[in-house]
Amino acid sequence: MLCIFMVAAFLYGHYKKMGPVITIHFPNAEGLVPNKTQIKYLGVVVGKVTDLEVDTASGTVTVSARLERQAEDLAKEGTIFVMIKPQVSFQGVEGLTTIFSGV
């Protein structure tokens, strides 16, 4: 009986933390890995990429992601998502943290 209660409490906590599923369109999916690539806002993880699909008609990639409940305000039409990749230039190195945490 205790085991059933613990499982139910875990599932409730997990469900309560889950936010909406969103769809994002990118020109390519370079570096994106389902169930691994994180979505960050102000340096805080607020979601994760769940699925990738190629849209041959438009030549883009459709990315499905699940946000956490704390970030559900980001799930609105017009929100802009960008992929930050490490870049080396004469001005220095940008996006270096993505080497350690993914795109």
Side-chain angles (χ1 to χ4, degrees):
M1 185 69 168
L2 178 63
C3 197
I4 293 172
F5 175 74
M6 290 175 59
V7 169
F10 173 77
L11 290 174
Y12 174 76
H14 181 72
Y15 174 76
K16 188 175 178 182
K17 189 177 178 183
M18 289 174 43
V21 174
I22 61 171
T23 302
I24 311 166
H25 300 280
F26 285 120
N28 64 60
E30 184 179 347
L32 298 179
V33 180
N35 299 315
K36 186 174 180 185
T37 303
Q38 300 173 333
I39 297 174
K40 292 184 179 183
Y41 180 71
L42 299 176
V44 177
V45 176
V46 295
K48 189 178 284 190
V49 172
T50 58
D51 191 32
L52 302 172
E53 292 182 20
V54 176
D55 184 352
T56 55
S58 66
T60 61
V61 175
T62 301
V63 177
S64 295
R66 174 160 312 267
L67 295 178
E68 294 183 7
R69 188 167 304 276
Q70 67 182 6
E72 63 187 356
D73 290 345
L74 298 175
K76 59 185 172 188
E77 189 76 30
T79 300
I80 298 172
F81 291 87
V82 295
M83 288 190 285
I84 300 175
K85 301 176 200 168
Q87 295 179 340
V88 179
S89 68
F90 290 114
Q91 297 158 339
V93 179
E94 296 177 355
L96 192 57
T97 58
T98 61
I99 292 174
F100 302 106
S101 62
V103 176

